[in-house]
Amino acid sequence: MAHLMKNPLAALLSFGSVLAATTAGGRYGPQRPVNGIWYAMLRKPSYTPPGTAFGAAWTVLDGLLATTGYRLMSAPRSPARTLALAGWGLSTLGLAGYPWVFFGKKRLDASLAVTGAMLVSAAGTVAAARQVDRPAAAMGVPLVLWVGFATLLSEEIWRRN
């Protein structure tokens, strides 16, 4: 926590952005009864994790994403930092965008595009962050892996429904 006090504005921006995105996305998630019923009725592959796994995974990923943003915002300015922050920002927007598209609009095709875009932005963040802050890059790897899995899962749900 002492590290966060070195740049309180970056801490506020990164953690606040992730919190705002997850709060906005949470307005459309499966915890809303109508969306939970709709999601339960979809044909899904056998490797679909239980709902509790999604909540646990995203809690960890949100924390890592916020910390990645903080570390990148605290790093010296450079083209790689700008690129990494752009990818980070797009990934953060995906936290709000995916639930809105998938659960809110019930657009399986468009939600697949959102997960694909998040995968590209998360991978781009990791690649650019390696030149800026290696711990930030390492913290982004779990998001790349999870969103890669989510893209596969989204494609299969779209195909089956």
Side-chain angles (χ1 to χ4, degrees):
M1 277 312 226
H3 194 278
L4 295 178
M5 292 301 115
K6 291 181 182 178
N7 192 340
L9 180 58
L12 179 64
L13 286 173
S14 61
F15 285 82
S17 296
V18 171
L19 179 61
T22 58
T23 300
R27 295 183 57 214
Y28 300 98
Q31 68 278 10
R32 296 182 55 97
V34 68
N35 292 340
I37 292 167
W38 172 77
Y39 182 71
M41 292 177 12
L42 292 174
R43 292 183 304 276
K44 297 178 277 302
S46 61
Y47 54 82
T48 303
T52 55
F54 284 105
W58 277 110
T59 298
V60 172
L61 294 169
D62 291 342
L64 290 171
L65 185 63
T67 305
T68 296
Y70 168 76
R71 293 186 66 94
L72 291 171
M73 287 179 205
S74 299
R77 294 177 188 262
S78 70
R81 175 185 175 257
T82 299
L83 186 59
L85 281 171
W88 177 85
L90 291 172
S91 295
T92 302
L93 283 174
L95 298 177
Y98 179 82
W100 177 67
V101 172
F102 185 84
F103 291 103
K105 297 294 182 181
K106 296 178 178 37
R107 291 285 312 271
L108 302 179
D109 53 349
S111 67
L112 175 58
V114 172
T115 59
M118 281 184 74
L119 180 57
V120 170
S121 66
T125 300
V126 168
R130 288 192 69 211
Q131 300 172 37
V132 178
D133 184 281
R134 288 202 178 252
M139 284 185 260
V141 171
L143 181 64
V144 172
L145 297 173
W146 182 260
V147 175
F149 172 72
T151 302
L152 173 69
L153 186 60
S154 290
E155 187 280 330
E156 190 62 24
I157 291 171
W158 169 70
R159 190 180 64 74
R160 291 173 184 232
N161 294 278

